[in-house]
Amino acid sequence: SLANKVALGWQLFCRGYDEIFIAMPNTPNTLLARLACARRTHTLDTYKTSALVRWLGAGFRRQAHGRDDLTIDSYLRLGGLEPSEAARQKHATQPLHRPDGACLQLASGFRVGVSLSAGNRLKTLPMSLWERLLDMLAPYSPAVHVFGLEDERPLLEELRRRLAGSPVTLVDWLGRGRMPLEAVPWHVAQMHLYLSSDTGNSYIADSLDVPLVNFAGPCHMVEQRPLGKRALIIETPGLQPFSYIFAAQYASELPAEKLYAVSDEDFRAIARLIDESHRLAQARNWRGSGIRP
């Protein structure tokens, strides 16, 4: 409610901040920053910024951000830093938080993490694509660890049904009851490979140097994408991206099979990364990025 926002604004004002940085420049955040009355307030000025937000942020220091600007570069400039390869390096936490009770018992074998969907259901890969990906993994007899929310369980059950008799082992980590949110980065770090659409977990994997296949679908990869050396980005041939960081789309008339179509060349690139990741895991007895050999 407006009353709660004003109360929060008063609390921020009482803290007497020297500087505030608005990472998501929407109306509530800009209003709170205005109420806080910091000595200096910095904000992004994006293609989605409304006239009201600009009015509320009058006098704030602005960093322009366009659809073809890499988001992390805009954030670095917002903080007064110059973009560089070193400055773009991300991490989940430093040092990586290791949960007291690890859900995963580390053992030999090839561990592959997957996200079947995302908070934005437009980022749900078609089941036909998952079938082909897991068929490609089958010769390596992997344990495929499924990360995500409890409401993704129907997807997992459908995948189980389709993979009956496959040498692929599906491991269920859906829901906070099975894996607390703060434990997710450490467990993602134990994967030898991660497969997903453009989800938060794919960026966690990327920050931990876990080999990654990121299916872009409708997402505009010029604006935001994994930047790691082990990240393979699969863009849909002939599809003009239409979902942006500050103007996300949550539905499309196109079916998932068209949003996430994969070319033969890209399937060959995925196969090479799978093989390379498996060889790396075997040759170095690698137990995941969270535990260095």
Side-chain angles (χ1 to χ4, degrees), residues 173-191:
W173 295 122
L174 295 180
R176 293 189 182 185
R178 293 177 183 266
M179 183 178 295
L181 187 61
E182 63 272 16
V184 169
W186 185 87
H187 286 85
V188 169
Q190 310 318 309
M191 300 298 110

Side-chain angles (χ1 to χ4, degrees), residues 21-25 43-44 46 63-65 70-81 83 224 245-246:
F21 297 85
I22 304 176
M24 180 61 70
T43 186
L44 286 181
T46 79
Q63 172 59 49
H65 172 81
L70 190 61
T71 307
I72 195 168
D73 286 355
S74 295
Y75 279 126
L76 287 168
R77 293 189 177 101
L78 181 70
L81 303 172
Q224 179 158 299
I245 296 303
F246 298 101

